[in-house]
Amino acid sequence: MSTQVQFLNGLNTIGGNVVSFTQGNTRLVMDFGVNFAPAETPTGDLLADGTLPALPDLFTDVDSDMATTIFVSHLHLDHMGALKYLTKPTDVYMSQASADLYQVLTELGTESAPNATIKVIPFETPMMFGDFEVTFFETDHDARGAAAIRVRDGVHTFVHSGDVRLDGPHPERVNHWADILREAHIDLFLLEGTEFSFDADDETEHVRHTEMSVQQDFGQILDEHHQLVVINPYERNIDRLEALQNTARLHGREILWDKQFATIMRAMGVADVKEIDWEAVVADPNHYVVQNHFNQLHDLDQFDGQFVYLHMNGEPLGEYDPRFAELQAYLDANHVELQRLGASGHAKPEDLVSLAQHVNAQKTVTWHSFKPEKEAEALRKVGLNVYLPTKGETLVY
Protein backbone atom coordinates (compact mmCIF):
# COMPACT_ATOMS: atom_id res chain seq x y z
CA MET A 1 0.00 0.00 0.00
CA SER A 2 1.35 3.44 -0.93
CA THR A 3 2.06 6.27 1.51
CA GLN A 4 0.84 9.79 0.74
CA VAL A 5 2.91 12.64 2.17
CA GLN A 6 0.95 15.89 2.08
CA PHE A 7 2.39 19.32 2.87
CA LEU A 8 -0.39 21.21 4.61
CA ASN A 9 1.22 24.38 5.96
CA GLY A 10 4.43 26.20 6.81
CA LEU A 11 6.23 25.98 3.49
CA ASN A 12 7.22 29.64 3.42
CA THR A 13 6.60 30.76 6.98
CA ILE A 14 8.60 30.43 10.18
CA GLY A 15 6.52 27.89 12.02
CA GLY A 16 3.05 26.57 11.44
CA ASN A 17 4.54 23.73 9.41
CA VAL A 18 2.23 20.73 9.16
CA VAL A 19 2.70 17.50 7.20
CA SER A 20 0.57 14.37 7.06
CA PHE A 21 1.49 10.76 6.31
CA THR A 22 -1.47 8.67 5.14
CA GLN A 23 -1.82 5.00 4.35
CA GLY A 24 -5.34 3.64 3.92
CA ASN A 25 -7.42 5.16 6.69
CA THR A 26 -4.41 5.76 8.99
CA ARG A 27 -3.26 9.36 9.06
CA LEU A 28 -0.34 10.78 11.05
CA VAL A 29 -0.12 14.57 11.36
CA MET A 30 2.97 16.50 12.52
CA ASP A 31 3.36 19.22 13.79
CA PHE A 32 0.12 21.08 14.58
CA GLY A 33 0.93 24.75 15.05
CA VAL A 34 -0.22 28.17 13.92
CA ASN A 35 1.82 31.31 13.37
CA PHE A 36 -0.60 34.00 14.50
CA ALA A 37 -4.32 33.60 15.15
CA PRO A 38 -6.19 36.31 17.08
CA ALA A 39 -8.30 34.69 19.77
CA GLU A 40 -11.53 36.24 18.52
CA THR A 41 -11.21 34.85 14.96
CA PRO A 42 -13.76 32.06 14.27
CA THR A 43 -12.30 28.65 13.52
CA GLY A 44 -14.06 28.56 10.16
CA ASP A 45 -12.28 31.75 9.09
CA LEU A 46 -8.89 30.37 10.17
CA LEU A 47 -9.55 27.25 8.15
CA ALA A 48 -10.73 29.22 5.13
CA ASP A 49 -7.75 31.59 5.05
CA GLY A 50 -5.22 28.78 5.49
CA THR A 51 -4.08 29.66 9.00
CA LEU A 52 -5.21 26.21 10.06
CA PRO A 53 -4.16 23.20 7.95
CA ALA A 54 -6.71 21.89 5.44
CA LEU A 55 -8.02 19.13 7.68
CA PRO A 56 -11.70 20.11 8.02
CA ASP A 57 -12.66 16.83 9.69
CA LEU A 58 -10.50 17.82 12.68
CA PHE A 59 -11.83 21.38 13.02
CA THR A 60 -15.51 21.05 12.07
CA ASP A 61 -18.38 18.57 12.41
CA VAL A 62 -17.47 16.94 9.09
CA ASP A 63 -17.39 13.17 9.48
CA SER A 64 -14.39 11.13 8.38
CA ASP A 65 -13.34 7.50 8.54
CA MET A 66 -9.68 8.54 8.95
CA ALA A 67 -7.94 7.37 12.12
CA THR A 68 -5.85 10.46 12.87
CA THR A 69 -2.99 10.76 15.35
CA ILE A 70 -1.12 14.03 15.94
CA PHE A 71 2.56 14.25 16.89
CA VAL A 72 4.09 17.39 18.41
CA SER A 73 7.86 17.84 18.13
CA HIS A 74 7.99 20.49 20.87
CA LEU A 75 5.74 22.82 22.80
CA HIS A 76 6.12 26.13 20.97
CA LEU A 77 2.90 27.66 19.71
CA ASP A 78 3.95 27.50 16.07
CA HIS A 79 4.17 23.72 16.46
CA MET A 80 1.16 22.95 18.66
CA GLY A 81 -1.07 26.04 18.75
CA ALA A 82 -3.81 24.46 16.61
CA LEU A 83 -4.63 21.84 19.24
CA LYS A 84 -7.18 24.11 20.90
CA TYR A 85 -9.28 24.15 17.71
CA LEU A 86 -9.82 20.37 17.60
CA THR A 87 -13.51 19.47 17.60
CA LYS A 88 -13.16 15.71 18.13
CA PRO A 89 -11.18 13.69 20.70
CA THR A 90 -7.77 13.09 19.10
CA ASP A 91 -4.66 11.37 20.41
CA VAL A 92 -1.69 13.76 20.58
CA TYR A 93 1.77 12.31 21.20
CA MET A 94 4.73 14.27 22.54
CA SER A 95 7.80 13.70 24.71
CA GLN A 96 7.51 13.37 28.48
CA ALA A 97 9.03 16.81 29.11
CA SER A 98 6.62 18.40 26.63
CA ALA A 99 3.68 16.63 28.26
CA ASP A 100 4.79 17.80 31.71
CA LEU A 101 4.98 21.40 30.51
CA TYR A 102 1.64 21.10 28.72
CA GLN A 103 0.00 19.90 31.93
CA VAL A 104 1.15 22.87 33.98
CA LEU A 105 0.23 25.32 31.20
CA THR A 106 -3.23 23.75 31.11
CA GLU A 107 -3.57 24.07 34.88
CA LEU A 108 -2.62 27.75 34.60
CA GLY A 109 -5.16 28.29 31.81
CA THR A 110 -2.43 29.30 29.34
CA GLU A 111 -3.33 26.31 27.17
CA SER A 112 -6.72 24.67 26.71
CA ALA A 113 -7.42 21.91 24.20
CA PRO A 114 -10.23 19.77 25.62
CA ASN A 115 -10.28 17.45 22.60
CA ALA A 116 -6.53 16.76 22.64
CA THR A 117 -5.79 13.51 24.45
CA ILE A 118 -2.14 13.94 25.46
CA LYS A 119 0.01 10.81 25.36
CA VAL A 120 3.74 10.28 25.81
CA ILE A 121 6.12 8.69 23.34
CA PRO A 122 9.52 7.95 24.93
CA PHE A 123 12.65 8.86 22.99
CA GLU A 124 14.03 6.16 20.71
CA THR A 125 11.12 3.83 21.43
CA PRO A 126 9.40 2.93 18.13
CA MET A 127 5.60 2.83 18.32
CA MET A 128 3.20 1.44 15.73
CA PHE A 129 0.22 3.33 14.32
CA GLY A 130 -1.43 1.16 11.70
CA ASP A 131 1.44 0.11 9.44
CA PHE A 132 3.49 3.18 10.37
CA GLU A 133 6.34 3.09 12.87
CA VAL A 134 7.07 6.41 14.62
CA THR A 135 10.22 7.17 16.63
CA PHE A 136 11.10 10.35 18.53
CA PHE A 137 14.76 11.39 18.91
CA GLU A 138 15.80 13.97 21.49
CA THR A 139 17.26 17.06 19.84
CA ASP A 140 18.63 20.50 20.78
CA HIS A 141 16.23 23.44 20.56
CA ASP A 142 15.23 26.19 22.98
CA ALA A 143 12.45 24.01 24.40
CA ARG A 144 12.88 21.14 26.81
CA GLY A 145 11.77 17.80 25.32
CA ALA A 146 12.14 18.85 21.67
CA ALA A 147 12.32 16.00 19.16
CA ALA A 148 13.15 15.03 15.62
CA ILE A 149 10.64 12.47 14.33
CA ARG A 150 11.19 9.44 12.09
CA VAL A 151 8.34 7.70 10.26
CA ARG A 152 8.68 4.31 8.57
CA ASP A 153 6.05 2.57 6.46
CA GLY A 154 7.90 -0.73 6.14
CA VAL A 155 9.57 0.28 2.89
CA HIS A 156 10.31 4.00 3.09
CA THR A 157 11.74 6.25 5.80
CA PHE A 158 10.67 9.86 6.32
CA VAL A 159 12.09 12.34 8.84
CA HIS A 160 10.76 15.60 10.24
CA SER A 161 13.71 17.51 11.74
CA GLY A 162 11.58 19.65 14.02
CA ASP A 163 13.38 22.80 15.13
CA VAL A 164 17.08 22.22 15.63
CA ARG A 165 20.37 23.94 16.35
CA LEU A 166 23.98 22.79 16.57
CA ASP A 167 25.50 25.56 18.69
CA GLY A 168 23.30 24.95 21.70
CA PRO A 169 24.27 23.14 24.89
CA HIS A 170 23.55 19.66 23.46
CA PRO A 171 24.88 19.27 19.91
CA GLU A 172 25.59 15.61 20.71
CA ARG A 173 21.85 14.94 20.59
CA VAL A 174 21.63 16.23 17.04
CA ASN A 175 24.78 14.40 15.96
CA HIS A 176 23.36 11.20 17.43
CA TRP A 177 20.12 11.18 15.46
CA ALA A 178 21.87 12.46 12.33
CA ASP A 179 24.25 9.49 12.50
CA ILE A 180 21.33 7.08 12.84
CA LEU A 181 19.51 8.65 9.90
CA ARG A 182 22.59 8.59 7.69
CA GLU A 183 22.83 4.83 8.17
CA ALA A 184 19.12 4.45 7.38
CA HIS A 185 19.42 6.00 3.87
CA ILE A 186 16.21 7.94 4.37
CA ASP A 187 13.89 8.76 1.49
CA LEU A 188 12.60 12.17 2.56
CA PHE A 189 14.08 14.68 5.02
CA LEU A 190 11.95 17.67 6.01
CA LEU A 191 14.45 20.24 7.24
CA GLU A 192 13.67 23.53 8.93
CA GLY A 193 15.35 26.63 7.52
CA THR A 194 14.52 29.47 9.89
CA GLU A 195 17.89 31.22 9.77
CA PHE A 196 17.87 31.31 5.97
CA SER A 197 15.00 33.79 6.32
CA PHE A 198 17.32 36.65 7.16
CA ASP A 199 19.88 38.53 5.12
CA ALA A 200 23.39 38.95 6.48
CA ASP A 201 22.87 42.67 7.04
CA ASP A 202 19.65 42.23 9.03
CA GLU A 203 19.83 43.77 12.49
CA THR A 204 19.07 40.42 14.09
CA GLU A 205 22.15 38.93 12.43
CA HIS A 206 24.79 41.26 13.86
CA VAL A 207 25.41 39.10 16.91
CA ARG A 208 24.82 35.37 17.13
CA HIS A 209 24.27 34.61 20.78
CA THR A 210 24.21 31.08 22.14
CA GLU A 211 22.65 29.90 25.38
CA MET A 212 26.15 29.91 26.84
CA SER A 213 27.05 33.43 25.70
CA VAL A 214 23.70 34.73 26.96
CA GLN A 215 24.69 33.64 30.45
CA GLN A 216 28.18 35.15 30.12
CA ASP A 217 26.82 38.49 28.93
CA PHE A 218 24.09 38.45 31.56
CA GLY A 219 26.70 38.00 34.29
CA GLN A 220 28.78 40.86 32.90
CA ILE A 221 25.75 43.17 32.82
CA LEU A 222 24.98 42.33 36.45
CA ASP A 223 28.55 43.22 37.43
CA GLU A 224 28.58 46.49 35.47
CA HIS A 225 25.26 47.96 36.64
CA HIS A 226 24.33 48.99 40.15
CA GLN A 227 20.59 49.28 39.68
CA LEU A 228 17.61 47.02 39.11
CA VAL A 229 17.93 44.68 36.13
CA VAL A 230 14.69 43.68 34.39
CA ILE A 231 14.49 40.63 32.13
CA ASN A 232 11.84 39.56 29.64
CA PRO A 233 12.43 35.86 28.83
CA TYR A 234 10.16 33.22 27.30
CA GLU A 235 8.32 31.16 29.89
CA ARG A 236 8.64 27.89 27.92
CA ASN A 237 12.44 27.94 27.76
CA ILE A 238 12.79 26.25 31.13
CA ASP A 239 16.50 25.48 30.83
CA ARG A 240 17.33 29.12 30.17
CA LEU A 241 15.22 30.30 33.08
CA GLU A 242 17.03 27.94 35.42
CA ALA A 243 20.41 29.02 34.03
CA LEU A 244 19.53 32.71 34.47
CA GLN A 245 18.62 32.09 38.10
CA ASN A 246 21.92 30.30 38.70
CA THR A 247 23.93 33.02 36.94
CA ALA A 248 22.24 35.77 38.94
CA ARG A 249 23.12 34.05 42.20
CA LEU A 250 26.73 33.61 41.13
CA HIS A 251 26.87 37.38 40.67
CA GLY A 252 25.23 38.24 43.98
CA ARG A 253 21.68 38.82 42.81
CA GLU A 254 18.34 37.10 43.22
CA ILE A 255 15.86 36.76 40.37
CA LEU A 256 12.26 37.29 41.37
CA TRP A 257 9.59 35.78 39.10
CA ASP A 258 5.91 36.50 38.63
CA LYS A 259 3.47 33.82 39.81
CA GLN A 260 2.97 32.27 36.37
CA PHE A 261 6.67 31.87 35.68
CA ALA A 262 7.30 30.63 39.21
CA THR A 263 4.53 28.03 38.96
CA ILE A 264 5.87 26.71 35.65
CA MET A 265 9.45 26.57 36.88
CA ARG A 266 8.57 24.72 40.07
CA ALA A 267 6.43 22.22 38.19
CA MET A 268 9.34 21.56 35.84
CA GLY A 269 11.71 20.82 38.70
CA VAL A 270 13.54 24.12 39.17
CA ALA A 271 14.48 24.52 42.83
CA ASP A 272 14.25 27.53 45.16
CA VAL A 273 12.19 29.79 42.89
CA LYS A 274 11.29 33.11 44.50
CA GLU A 275 8.32 35.30 43.56
CA ILE A 276 8.30 39.07 43.19
CA ASP A 277 8.22 41.09 46.41
CA TRP A 278 8.08 44.73 45.32
CA GLU A 279 8.68 46.06 48.82
CA ALA A 280 12.00 44.20 48.96
CA VAL A 281 12.95 45.30 45.44
CA VAL A 282 12.22 48.97 46.11
CA ALA A 283 14.25 48.80 49.32
CA ASP A 284 17.33 47.30 47.61
CA PRO A 285 16.93 47.34 43.80
CA ASN A 286 20.56 46.59 42.96
CA HIS A 287 20.29 43.23 44.77
CA TYR A 288 17.57 41.96 42.45
CA VAL A 289 16.70 40.96 38.93
CA VAL A 290 12.97 41.08 38.17
CA GLN A 291 11.28 39.10 35.43
CA ASN A 292 8.69 41.30 33.76
CA HIS A 293 6.02 40.30 31.28
CA PHE A 294 4.61 42.83 28.81
CA ASN A 295 1.21 42.91 30.51
CA GLN A 296 2.94 43.88 33.76
CA LEU A 297 5.07 46.60 32.22
CA HIS A 298 3.67 49.39 34.34
CA ASP A 299 4.87 47.65 37.48
CA LEU A 300 8.14 49.34 36.54
CA ASP A 301 6.68 52.85 36.88
CA GLN A 302 7.81 52.98 40.51
CA PHE A 303 11.48 53.00 39.44
CA ASP A 304 11.28 56.18 37.33
CA GLY A 305 13.49 54.76 34.58
CA GLN A 306 16.22 53.64 36.95
CA PHE A 307 16.58 50.11 35.63
CA VAL A 308 18.24 48.08 32.87
CA TYR A 309 15.90 46.24 30.49
CA LEU A 310 17.02 42.99 28.83
CA HIS A 311 14.77 41.53 26.15
CA MET A 312 15.38 37.76 26.21
CA ASN A 313 13.01 36.30 23.59
CA GLY A 314 9.93 37.05 25.67
CA GLU A 315 6.73 38.55 24.32
CA PRO A 316 6.38 40.71 22.32
CA LEU A 317 9.18 39.05 20.39
CA GLY A 318 9.64 41.48 17.51
CA GLU A 319 8.41 44.34 15.39
CA TYR A 320 5.72 42.22 13.69
CA ASP A 321 3.79 42.25 16.99
CA PRO A 322 1.99 45.60 17.57
CA ARG A 323 2.80 45.35 21.27
CA PHE A 324 6.49 45.69 20.49
CA ALA A 325 6.00 49.34 19.51
CA GLU A 326 4.23 49.90 22.83
CA LEU A 327 7.14 48.33 24.70
CA GLN A 328 9.65 50.48 22.83
CA ALA A 329 7.60 53.62 23.43
CA TYR A 330 7.39 52.90 27.16
CA LEU A 331 11.13 52.40 27.47
CA ASP A 332 11.86 55.51 25.37
CA ALA A 333 9.61 57.58 27.62
CA ASN A 334 11.61 56.35 30.61
CA HIS A 335 14.95 56.87 28.82
CA VAL A 336 15.75 53.16 29.12
CA GLU A 337 17.52 51.31 26.34
CA LEU A 338 15.98 48.09 25.07
CA GLN A 339 18.88 45.65 25.11
CA ARG A 340 18.45 42.36 23.26
CA LEU A 341 19.99 39.39 24.97
CA GLY A 342 18.44 36.30 23.47
CA ALA A 343 19.60 33.23 21.60
CA SER A 344 18.10 31.50 18.61
CA GLY A 345 16.79 27.98 18.89
CA HIS A 346 17.55 27.48 15.22
CA ALA A 347 20.70 26.33 13.46
CA LYS A 348 22.93 28.69 11.52
CA PRO A 349 22.64 28.35 7.72
CA GLU A 350 26.04 26.68 7.45
CA ASP A 351 25.07 24.21 10.18
CA LEU A 352 21.85 23.33 8.35
CA VAL A 353 23.85 22.63 5.21
CA SER A 354 26.27 20.42 7.14
CA LEU A 355 23.38 18.57 8.80
CA ALA A 356 21.64 17.94 5.49
CA GLN A 357 24.90 16.76 3.93
CA HIS A 358 25.51 14.36 6.78
CA VAL A 359 22.01 12.87 6.66
CA ASN A 360 22.27 12.70 2.84
CA ALA A 361 18.62 11.87 2.20
CA GLN A 362 17.46 10.86 -1.24
CA LYS A 363 15.29 13.99 -1.19
CA THR A 364 15.37 16.99 1.16
CA VAL A 365 12.47 19.41 1.57
CA THR A 366 13.23 22.90 2.91
CA TRP A 367 10.48 24.64 4.87
CA HIS A 368 9.79 26.53 8.13
CA SER A 369 11.40 29.59 6.53
CA PHE A 370 10.44 32.83 4.80
CA LYS A 371 12.98 31.90 2.13
CA PRO A 372 12.98 28.12 1.65
CA GLU A 373 14.34 28.62 -1.86
CA LYS A 374 17.46 30.21 -0.38
CA GLU A 375 18.12 27.12 1.73
CA ALA A 376 17.33 24.91 -1.26
CA GLU A 377 19.93 26.72 -3.34
CA ALA A 378 22.57 26.25 -0.64
CA LEU A 379 21.82 22.53 -0.42
CA ARG A 380 21.90 22.06 -4.18
CA LYS A 381 25.31 23.70 -4.30
CA VAL A 382 26.69 20.85 -2.19
CA GLY A 383 25.10 18.23 -4.41
CA LEU A 384 21.90 17.40 -2.54
CA ASN A 385 18.58 16.60 -4.21
CA VAL A 386 16.14 19.25 -2.96
CA TYR A 387 12.41 19.55 -3.52
CA LEU A 388 10.25 22.61 -2.92
CA PRO A 389 6.61 21.47 -2.64
CA THR A 390 3.58 23.70 -2.92
CA LYS A 391 0.96 24.01 -0.20
CA GLY A 392 -1.43 21.08 -0.36
CA GLU A 393 0.82 19.04 -2.64
CA THR A 394 1.02 15.29 -2.08
CA LEU A 395 3.99 13.03 -2.78
CA VAL A 396 3.24 9.33 -3.20
CA TYR A 397 5.68 6.63 -2.08
Side-chain angles (χ1 to χ4, degrees):
M1 187 180 296
S2 64
T3 294
Q4 293 81 46
V5 183
Q6 187 174 24
F7 301 93
L8 293 160
N9 242 350
L11 296 177
N12 56 3
T13 58
I14 295 178
N17 50 320
V18 184
V19 63
S20 67
F21 300 89
T22 305
Q23 196 178 85
N25 70 339
T26 300
R27 178 172 63 191
L28 315 182
V29 180
M30 57 189 74
D31 274 313
F32 209 64
V34 290
N35 285 316
F36 182 71
E40 66 275 8
T41 306
T43 302
D45 291 351
L46 297 175
L47 192 58
D49 69 14
T51 299
L52 292 175
L55 299 167
D57 57 301
L58 299 184
F59 301 115
T60 69
D61 293 332
V62 172
D63 291 327
S64 172
D65 62 356
M66 298 299 297
T68 299
T69 307
I70 296 170
F71 300 84
V72 172
S73 66
H74 63 282
L75 220 62
H76 285 168
L77 289 171
D78 59 328
H79 291 262
M80 48 69 66
L83 293 177
K84 66 181 180 180
Y85 299 103
L86 289 169
T87 55
K88 302 175 181 68
T90 307
D91 287 346
V92 180
Y93 282 82
M94 58 185 68
S95 70
Q96 183 67 64
S98 293
D100 291 344
L101 179 55
Y102 190 82
Q103 180 177 343
V104 66
L105 292 174
T106 299
E107 291 171 353
L108 284 167
T110 303
E111 291 292 344
S112 177
N115 285 308
T117 303
I118 305 301
K119 298 188 175 184
V120 170
I121 182 167
F123 289 124
E124 300 193 43
T125 303
M127 295 182 66
M128 297 302 299
F129 301 87
D131 290 330
F132 288 116
E133 176 196 270
V134 178
T135 307
F136 273 36
F137 294 91
E138 190 172 19
T139 195
D140 191 313
H141 182 46
D142 56 348
R144 189 177 289 183
I149 307 173
R150 182 183 68 194
V151 179
R152 289 172 166 166
D153 65 5
V155 178
H156 304 99
T157 301
F158 315 98
V159 175
H160 167 31
S161 74
D163 288 354
V164 60
R165 61 185 174 188
L166 280 155
D167 61 353
H170 295 289
E172 74 283 354
R173 295 175 182 171
V174 184
N175 293 329
H176 171 67
W177 62 253
D179 287 343
I180 291 174
L181 298 183
R182 180 178 178 85
E183 295 299 319
H185 305 290
I186 68 172
D187 295 88
L188 186 66
F189 185 30
L190 281 66
L191 179 62
E192 72 119 313
T194 302
E195 294 297 337
F196 274 98
S197 300
F198 311 109
D199 295 326
D201 58 350
D202 284 354
E203 181 180 351
T204 56
E205 292 296 289
H206 287 331
V207 177
R208 170 78 183 190
H209 282 294
T210 65
E211 296 293 347
M212 295 73 82
S213 71
V214 163
Q215 300 304 321
Q216 293 167 356
D217 289 357
F218 180 49
Q220 183 175 344
I221 289 169
L222 295 181
D223 290 341
E224 292 176 349
H225 292 86
H226 301 287
Q227 55 185 319
L228 177 65
V229 174
V230 178
I231 60 172
N232 179 14
Y234 187 37
E235 62 193 10
R236 302 192 186 196
N237 192 344
I238 307 301
D239 291 332
R240 185 186 296 173
L241 301 183
E242 185 172 23
L244 288 170
Q245 180 165 283
N246 292 338
T247 298
R249 288 174 179 165
L250 285 172
H251 291 264
R253 298 224 191 187
E254 188 70 56
I255 298 188
L256 304 182
W257 309 90
D258 71 21
K259 187 173 183 58
Q260 180 168 304
F261 270 70
T263 301
I264 292 170
M265 292 169 69
R266 289 170 184 148
M268 295 301 290
V270 182
D272 197 20
V273 177
K274 300 186 184 303
E275 294 186 36
I276 294 172
D277 176 348
W278 285 119
E279 184 175 340
V281 176
V282 170
D284 190 11
N286 65 339
H287 179 66
Y288 293 101
V289 176
V290 171
Q291 168 264 318
N292 181 261
H293 193 273
F294 175 78
N295 61 15
Q296 299 158 336
L297 195 59
H298 286 282
D299 287 347
L300 303 177
D301 290 351
Q302 57 195 312
F303 297 98
D304 195 27
Q306 299 302 304
F307 59 89
V308 175
Y309 187 93
L310 305 179
H311 194 286
M312 293 181 157
N313 302 119
E315 296 181 356
L317 188 57
E319 288 79 357
Y320 60 86
D321 187 328
R323 297 174 300 170
F324 193 85
E326 296 179 47
L327 170 61
Q328 186 66 72
Y330 176 83
L331 294 176
D332 287 346
N334 282 276
H335 307 289
V336 174
E337 178 187 1
L338 186 153
Q339 300 184 52
R340 294 181 183 268
L341 187 57
S344 177
H346 304 276
K348 297 180 290 185
E350 58 267 32
D351 287 344
L352 287 169
V353 172
S354 295
L355 179 59
Q357 279 185 290
H358 187 71
V359 170
N360 196 29
Q362 293 185 36
K363 185 180 292 183
T364 301
V365 166
T366 58
W367 67 340
H368 196 288
S369 173
F370 293 140
K371 299 176 182 178
E373 69 285 350
K374 187 177 175 183
E375 182 180 16
E377 180 184 2
L379 298 185
R380 288 181 179 128
K381 284 182 178 178
V382 296
L384 296 176
N385 180 25
V386 183
Y387 188 71
L388 287 169
T390 57
K391 186 173 180 176
E393 183 176 355
T394 300
L395 299 181
V396 179
Y397 284 85

